[in-house]
Amino acid sequence: MRILLTGRTGQVGSALERSLAPLGQVRAFDRQGLDLCDLKSIRPKLRSEMPDIIVNAAAHTAVDRAEKERDLAFAINSLGVQELALEAKAIDALLVHFSTDFVFDGEKPSPYIETDAPNPLNVYGWSKLEGERAIEASGCRYFIFRTSWVYAPGGRNFMHAILAAAKSRPELRVVDDQHGAPTSSLAIAGAIAKVLADPGLADKASGLYHMSAGGETTWHGFAEAILEARGVVTPLVAIPSTEYPVAAKRPKNSRLDNTKLAATFGIALAGWREGLAAVMRALD
Ligand SMILES: NC(=O)c1ccc[n+]([C@@H]2O[C@H](COP(=O)([O-])OP(=O)(O)OC[C@H]3O[C@@H](n4cnc5c(N)ncnc54)[C@H](OP(=O)(O)O)[C@@H]3O)[C@@H](O)[C@H]2O)c1
């Protein structure tokens, strides 16, 4: 099986490069090797590689910067993805893609299911939603996995930001009115490897799935667990989102219902605390 992976330098991409290796020949590309902004380069690249599966872990994920970089966010998250999907259709490859809880406005009082109506609050969310729609319209075989609050042993993420800030500040103020499940790149990459281990499923189960860690918390709860895991005693203060102004609005409810994933693939990601423990072990 030939697998083409984009975004190999990212949190999810780097974990996937390892987890997919036992499944076949993985050809992993960084931004220089396959630039989603360079639409004209995508077709020749895919035609020369002729993968059975395209796994797209590349994205513009800087949520606040996207408010100012609208064109770039849409170029990568919508237009580049559309080109990948059209090409997947043309060469009959399966497209595996990732999307986000930020396609929702967070007003629902319970976890979101796949058929809930999206209504993004920010440019990043809109650009990701347009990417989803382009895939669905392309006619290719696909899996879209919406996940949430991704972090990893490496890379820039909330976990590292909290650990760094705790070293330099007398106290940390973290929002406690956004609810979701921090999901580790390792858990995502492990689950994708399980899904792709059964090639027949792609024909039967093509579609959109929610894939987040079990349980739920707030950013404050996550920060507390991170500091506790490292034995850091810097005081944590819970604050409302209104006291932490950022460029992009975030949904209050980022919780994803993973029932469809479990029913289709028999896969459930571990609880977020277990996921954090595994990432902490990877740091040691
Ligand atoms: N991070 C989250 O909290 C979160 C939450 C929900 C869903 N997701 C989704 O999960 C997926 C993986 O996210 P992640 O956290 O692993 O992202 P990430 O760590 O920010 O990695 C993004 C990857 O995309 C690459 N990239 C950026 N622009 C590109 C371009 N024009 N062409 C090709 N590659 C490009 C980056 O390369 P460089 O290293 O060169 O920049 C990097 O390898 C994405 O679809 C994201 O939308 C993420």
Side-chain angles (χ1 to χ4, degrees):
M1 190 156 61
R2 289 171 65 83
I3 302 173
L4 183 147
L5 173 67
T6 67
R8 75 181 293 194
T9 56
Q11 303 191 90
V12 173
S14 56
L16 280 169
E17 188 170 358
R18 286 189 298 276
S19 76
L20 299 182
L23 299 185
Q25 187 197 0
V26 179
R27 298 270 294 153
F29 295 96
D30 60 14
R31 189 197 296 243
Q32 283 69 42
L34 202 164
D35 183 351
L36 290 186
C37 286
D38 185 1
L39 290 184
K40 287 200 176 69
S41 71
I42 294 176
R43 173 185 284 202
K45 189 78 190 177
L46 295 189
R47 298 280 166 119
S48 73
E49 295 290 334
M50 287 304 281
D52 303 298
I53 302 177
I54 301 163
V55 181
N56 179 34
H60 185 304
T61 59
V63 177
D64 291 309
R65 235 176 45 220
E67 295 296 305
K68 281 199 194 135
E69 297 177 350
R70 189 185 175 85
D71 289 351
L72 185 62
F74 273 85
I76 298 168
N77 294 342
S78 310
L79 298 176
V81 170
Q82 178 178 46
E83 192 66 16
L84 280 182
L86 292 172
E87 209 39 46
K89 168 77 178 160
I91 63 172
D92 194 27
L94 168 70
L95 176 60
V96 179
H97 179 71
F98 298 94
S99 190
T100 168
D101 52 303
F102 281 13
V103 298
F104 296 116
D105 61 18
E107 294 299 325
K108 190 181 176 188
S110 54
Y112 282 97
I113 59 172
E114 288 78 355
T115 49
D116 282 327
N119 183 31
L121 298 177
N122 54 48
V123 168
Y124 167 74
W126 275 114
S127 69
K128 294 294 293 183
L129 181 60
E130 287 303 309
E132 288 184 7
R133 288 177 172 162
I135 292 172
E136 285 157 3
S138 72
C140 74
R141 292 178 294 125
Y142 69 89
F143 290 132
I144 299 171
F145 296 104
R146 286 188 187 138
T147 187
S148 64
W149 296 16
V150 176
Y151 67 104
R156 267 177 304 171
N157 57 51
F158 180 83
M159 181 189 75
H160 287 297
I162 286 292
L163 289 173
K167 282 190 188 148
S168 59
R169 296 195 200 150
E171 67 171 26
L172 299 180
R173 298 163 63 78
V174 183
V175 300
D176 76 340
D177 57 0
Q178 294 169 25
H179 301 262
T183 305
S184 98
S185 64
L186 307 179
I188 296 170
I192 300 300
K194 279 189 197 154
V195 169
L196 297 183
D198 181 351
L201 267 179
D203 292 321
K204 287 182 274 173
S206 187
L208 171 66
Y209 296 87
H210 288 176
M211 179 188 275
S212 60
E216 62 174 271
T217 185
T218 63
W219 290 111
H220 179 271
F222 188 32
E224 202 167 48
I226 291 165
L227 295 184
E228 198 181 295
R230 289 326 245 184
V232 179
V233 293
T234 307
L236 262 184
V237 181
I239 57 166
S241 305
T242 48
E243 285 183 26
Y244 192 79
V246 279
K249 221 174 154 191
R250 264 81 167 165
K252 294 251 184 278
N253 175 19
S254 274
R255 294 173 297 153
L256 300 175
D257 182 315
N258 298 306
T259 306
K260 184 180 172 191
L261 182 80
T264 310
F265 303 109
I267 290 172
L269 269 55
W272 68 268
R273 284 182 189 278
E274 271 178 71
L276 177 60
V279 168
M280 288 294 170
R281 284 195 295 277
L283 283 181
D284 292 332

